[in-house]
Amino acid sequence: MEYGKGELPPYSAVAVAAPDRRRRWSVRRSRGVRVLALACLAFIVYAQWKQIQPRLKGSSVSQLSVEKLNEDLRTCSKLRSKPQDPIGLGRERNLRYVDGHKPTLIKNATIWIGEPVAGTSDKDARLGKGYSWINADVLLEYGLIKEVRKGIDVTSLSSDTIVWDAKGRKLTTGIIDMHSHAGVDSLPELDGNADTNEMGSNITPYVRSIDGLNVFDHQIQVIKSGGVTTSLVLPGSSNNIGGEAYVIKHAVGKPDGRNETSIADMLADPEHNWRYIKMACGENSKRTYGEPGEHGPVSRLGESWEFRHAFEQAAKIVQAQDDWCTLAESVGVEQMETYLPQDLEWETLAAVLRGQVHVNTHCYTVPDLEAFVDHSNEFKFAVRAFHHAHQTFLVPEVLKRAWGDSPPASALFADNMWYKAEAYIGSEYAGKVLYENGLTPIYVSDNPVLNAQHVVFEAAKAFGYGLPYHVALASVTTAPAERLGLGQRLGKVKPGFDADIAVWDSDPLSVGAAPVQVWIDGTAQFDDPVELKKPLSSPLEPLSEVPATTEEIVSMNDIVFTGVSKSFLSPSKLHLQGENSTVAISGGKITCVGTCETELEIATKSGTKVIALQNGYLTRPFTVFGSTLGLNAIDAESDTDNGGGTGIFSRGVDGLALETKKLRYAQRYGVTRAISAPKYSGQMTHQGTSVGFRTAAKHVLDKGAVFADDVAVHYTLDLSAKSGSTSISNAIGALRRKLLEAASANTTAADPYSEAAFLGKVIDGSLPLVITVQSADVIASLLKVKDTVDAAIASSRDSSSGISLVLIGGAESFLLADELAAADVGVVLSPLLAYRNTWDQRRALTGAPLTNGTAVDALVAAGVRVAVGIEEDWLVRDVGLLAGIAYKNGQGQLSEKDALDLVSANVYEILGLEGSDDTSEFVVFEGSPLEIGARVRAVGTGVDDEVIMLV
């Protein structure tokens, strides 16, 4: 028998014999056989009837506990019940409400309800009609939203009501993160606190994230400071079936208004209406568990068997239970010879098949997605969401074939990709494409992969990539609430919903938006929150021009732009004249900025393309420092990586591999230059000399491909330094010895490309020394090393100049801001927004409302030379937005130019390089590159005078 795709045979299927067409038996013989068969069947039926006849007369033969049998019978009704989404409207109080908490009236707020006005058709609602911000008050009482309307009279409320003035600021429901490991993957990362994956077996539906959730994980509070009130805490993705997940609220213990400190008290739904499970397809399981010749899975083929075999075991349990329940109800429990079949190992998966558990599955690629859709149809269970889901936008029809009433949502990153093979194919426009195909995009953090404090920023970027505003905001509020089965209680600002609220200092989908206060179940979560000084702003407008999902790139040498309002090229270069200036480009170079009447006339006559911009910006291109750009194509794939090692000192220029997808995207987002060093041991570690190159070059011999063969000498002194030196102290001591030996050397190294030769250049000041470091303690030790080496240089070489020291990383550098400024040590913050990801970053500043600023603010205030790098290559799309965060949250310390210099001119100043004032290197934006929604329209690449246009 043949089976088509989606109609795979169950593993219990038996072979079907082909019909015998010879028909040699006579009709008489055939009839004789039939008579014999009927006689045998009659005998079997008679024997069975005789066996059960005493039972039917009421004679009990069971020796089992009747009490236990009755309990089992009561369980039958539970097994057959299908949970319903719990109601919101109609409740008098939230079951999570803590007695004694006072009502709160939030006055004068600009509110996003989360749904269109009554009477809006479904068609219009999908287009965003009926959605708007409204001015109103919100009353919170008994853990619920009681009223949302204008002019609630405080005198009509109880005398103990707390009145909080929103001052016109934006108010939304609390943010919901549908993919988090907060509490089970506690921060900072320590082996003793790692409880994300149960790796004793590949199939573990029986384990539960709730059993490893660390209530004292500080990251739970950091996440809440980003307006996140609710998270789905999932087991990890090492296992094909990882175990049960739980929805929590980010309020822990008495400091957060709770009566007790417990995991149970954090559960968002005390009634336990729905259950949740995590499954995972693809690379992780076969990499973790596959041992060729011993056990699988070692391939996706094997993974499908693992899934189907597990579901088959669960299906057998379901069938056995249903048979027992049917018989017990028919003959009475007193007649039963066995108890209800139950198996804790398969109970959760059996509940999945009964529709009682919401399935969330980590799946990236088309074969993974299609296989899992097949499994859902074979075993008849619904999938609530595919997580990561990088390729779902390519196969919307496959998702629509999944079993159930509603196709799976896609729980996505906005633009995080390329980190492994199954993340290589993806698109920043995925959410837009999915929505246009009638599917649901949801944006998530996978905390701590991304800091869930900023999960709303993922939705903001999706808006910038063309997802309608109402859908983008829904992707972190109403959409996850509905997929969790809690859509009548969470995700909207309406009476009857849980009183989970965030009030923002700016539009939540704008760059740098931060809450000024957060309420969970009606209780304010921050006693003395830091509020950044920002002017009251209007809600974001829809994008004037929604970007296409596949922008075409065209090379041209001659083009004219009008409508340019600001230029940030070197002041000594071409100046703007007025807010509606023209930029003329000829032969790949900028020839005029201003009125450019002659150039416009020539362009009109010659047919040169003239493009009218709205709020055009002309800037220097971005330069990325510290990434693996040019030395890696897929982070986790060794064949695409330059490599490195703790005992190896090499030159980045010798390993450059250009014209990769990463570099093409870098160009498209205005990054024309990168400075990259070989790895020490892994991502964001460095050892050797870095190379400066242009991202548009096809190979190193291209004209202008490499602008600096050896930019700096790099070493790593973060926690990974112990892998090569056994201890941080030994690593610092080894570096000191190398530098002192170089300072005392009287001869030139025989090999000009050796480590000793390059250290000689550090000593003579011709190359900077760049150290990858996060800890303030190690930074303090480095400053002492610098003093020692500088003294040795002064003694042996009669020179007053010391080494040029630069730090990259710098999570805790703010603690030594004054000392760094005094020593003239530059800092390249990477990441810009550090958090307690590792032990050596545990004192990082996470920003408002928890801390007054972040590292960049403290360093700038102290006069330290600062730049911003990227710790992972996918961030090439976000370089301008990172500068925008520093600008928007800097409380006036930085101008727009200062912010843009963080990712351009400051890099060169810190490293002692000449910057780019070449008129063939520039970026033309439509809209501010520091804001959501800006589009790159043209890039002068600096290679062969090429200008690329995005049309």
Side-chain angles (χ1 to χ4, degrees), residues 554-638:
V554 177
S555 281
M556 56 179 61
N557 292 327
D558 302 316
I559 190 168
V560 175
F561 289 98
T562 62
V564 177
S565 58
K566 292 187 179 181
S567 171
F568 295 94
L569 297 182
S570 171
S572 62
K573 299 293 180 182
L574 310 149
H575 292 280
L576 279 180
Q577 296 180 9
E579 293 188 356
N580 188 18
S581 293
T582 297
V583 175
I585 300 164
S586 179
K589 297 180 181 293
I590 296 176
T591 56
C592 177
V593 176
T595 56
C596 305
E597 294 175 355
T598 302
E599 287 78 5
L600 273 171
E601 183 179 352
I602 293 171
T604 302
K605 291 179 179 179
S606 64
T608 298
K609 194 172 187 67
V610 178
I611 296 179
L613 303 176
Q614 295 184 31
N615 190 29
Y617 273 59
L618 177 63
T619 75
R620 292 176 173 177
F622 301 141
T623 297
V624 164
F625 178 51
S627 72
T628 62
L629 286 176
L631 298 173
N632 175 283
I634 303 173
D635 296 358
E637 291 291 332
S638 60

Side-chain angles (χ1 to χ4, degrees), residues 429 544-548 551-556 559-564 583 585 609-619 622 667-670 922-929 933-941 947-951:
Y429 302 116
S544 58
E545 184 178 352
V546 176
E551 291 178 306
E552 184 181 355
I553 295 177
V554 177
S555 281
M556 56 179 61
I559 190 168
V560 175
F561 289 98
T562 62
V564 177
V583 175
I585 300 164
K609 194 172 187 67
V610 178
I611 296 179
L613 303 176
Q614 295 184 31
N615 190 29
Y617 273 59
L618 177 63
T619 75
F622 301 141
Q667 297 166 51
R668 289 176 58 173
Y669 285 88
F922 56 86
V923 185
V924 178
F925 289 91
E926 187 156 32
S928 168
R935 291 182 60 201
V936 173
R937 301 304 303 269
V939 179
T941 66
V947 177
I948 61 170
M949 281 285 304
L950 280 76
V951 296

Side-chain angles (χ1 to χ4, degrees), residues 115-131:
E115 67 181 23
V117 295
T120 306
S121 69
D122 290 344
K123 181 179 178 181
D124 283 347
R126 282 197 65 81
L127 297 173
K129 297 179 181 179
Y131 288 88

Side-chain angles (χ1 to χ4, degrees), residues 398-588:
V398 170
L399 269 63
K400 293 175 184 178
R401 292 207 300 266
W403 193 86
D405 298 331
S406 176
S410 293
L412 307 159
F413 299 134
D415 48 17
N416 183 357
M417 52 194 73
W418 314 325
Y419 46 88
K420 55 182 177 176
E422 61 189 8
Y424 189 61
I425 296 174
S427 172
E428 61 269 49
Y429 302 116
K432 179 176 184 286
V433 174
L434 288 164
Y435 186 72
E436 289 170 350
N437 280 274
L439 297 169
T440 302
I442 291 171
Y443 288 92
V444 297
S445 71
D446 195 10
N447 186 88
V449 173
L450 301 182
N451 179 3
Q453 176 190 5
H454 304 298
V455 70
V456 74
F457 188 47
E458 296 299 293
K461 290 187 289 184
F463 169 60
Y465 295 135
L467 192 64
Y469 184 95
H470 70 290
V471 185
L473 197 45
S475 72
V476 288
T477 53
T478 55
E482 289 164 0
R483 288 288 150 170
L484 292 171
L486 299 172
Q488 297 181 58
R489 290 187 175 180
L490 303 178
K492 296 177 184 177
V493 183
K494 292 181 61 181
F497 278 66
D498 288 7
D500 300 341
I501 298 292
V503 174
W504 304 84
D505 62 11
S506 50
D507 190 300
L509 298 189
S510 64
V511 169
V516 298
Q517 186 56 277
V518 173
W519 288 261
I520 294 179
D521 301 316
T523 300
Q525 295 297 296
F526 303 112
D527 290 335
D528 188 21
V530 173
E531 182 177 351
L532 301 178
K533 297 175 183 176
K534 295 182 183 179
L536 188 64
S537 60
S538 300
L540 292 178
E541 296 291 334
L543 299 183
S544 58
E545 184 178 352
V546 176
T549 53
T550 52
E551 291 178 306
E552 184 181 355
I553 295 177
V554 177
S555 281
M556 56 179 61
N557 292 327
D558 302 316
I559 190 168
V560 175
F561 289 98
T562 62
V564 177
S565 58
K566 292 187 179 181
S567 171
F568 295 94
L569 297 182
S570 171
S572 62
K573 299 293 180 182
L574 310 149
H575 292 280
L576 279 180
Q577 296 180 9
E579 293 188 356
N580 188 18
S581 293
T582 297
V583 175
I585 300 164
S586 179

Side-chain angles (χ1 to χ4, degrees), residues 658-910:
L658 305 180
E659 211 173 25
T660 64
K661 179 185 282 190
K662 289 180 178 181
L663 294 176
R664 287 194 293 273
Y665 271 89
Q667 297 166 51
R668 289 176 58 173
Y669 285 88
V671 178
T672 68
R673 293 187 177 202
I675 300 171
S676 300
K679 288 180 182 176
Y680 171 72
S681 61
Q683 291 293 113
M684 198 46 204
T685 65
H686 311 95
Q687 186 158 286
T689 66
S690 50
V691 56
F693 66 97
R694 290 183 171 88
T695 58
K698 295 178 176 58
H699 49 75
V700 294
L701 298 182
D702 250 358
K703 177 185 175 183
V706 176
F707 63 84
D709 285 339
D710 299 289
V711 173
V713 174
H714 292 255
Y715 293 99
T716 293
L717 286 174
D718 64 9
L719 294 179
S720 64
K722 291 187 282 188
S723 63
S725 297
T726 70
S727 70
I728 298 295
S729 56
N730 186 44
I732 293 171
L735 176 63
R736 183 192 299 112
R737 285 191 297 273
K738 289 179 180 180
L739 291 169
L740 290 175
E741 287 171 5
S744 61
N746 296 318
T747 59
T748 303
D751 179 359
Y753 302 112
S754 66
E755 182 177 9
F758 284 114
L759 284 172
K761 293 184 178 183
V762 169
I763 296 300
D764 68 25
S766 57
L767 285 181
L769 176 66
V770 178
I771 305 297
T772 302
V773 60
Q774 303 287 2
S775 164
D777 301 300
V778 179
I779 292 171
S781 294
L782 283 170
L783 292 177
K784 293 174 66 177
V785 168
K786 175 175 164 50
D787 287 343
T788 300
V789 174
D790 287 351
I793 292 172
S795 173
S796 64
R797 303 199 176 195
D798 194 24
S799 171
S800 59
S801 62
I803 62 173
S804 173
L805 179 61
V806 177
L807 310 179
I808 183 167
E812 296 185 356
S813 59
F814 69 94
L815 292 169
L816 292 152
D818 292 336
E819 290 83 354
L820 291 168
D824 196 26
V825 173
V827 178
V828 180
L829 291 170
S830 183
L832 168 67
L833 301 174
Y835 56 112
R836 299 184 182 189
N837 200 24
T838 57
W839 184 255
D840 55 352
Q841 300 179 64
R842 67 190 184 280
R843 293 174 284 187
L845 296 176
T846 55
L850 289 182
T851 68
N852 188 10
T854 60
V856 67
D857 304 305
L859 294 172
V860 168
V864 178
R865 294 175 297 148
V866 186
V868 173
I870 62 173
E871 69 278 16
E872 295 185 74
D873 295 348
W874 62 269
L875 287 161
V876 291
R877 295 181 182 88
D878 299 345
V879 173
L881 297 179
L882 295 176
I885 292 170
Y887 170 64
K888 292 299 267 316
N889 291 353
Q891 304 196 79
Q893 282 197 105
L894 299 173
S895 65
E896 284 186 294
K897 179 185 179 303
D898 294 334
L900 290 168
D901 284 348
L902 291 172
V903 290
S904 56
N906 289 12
V907 176
Y908 299 92
E909 179 189 346
I910 289 171

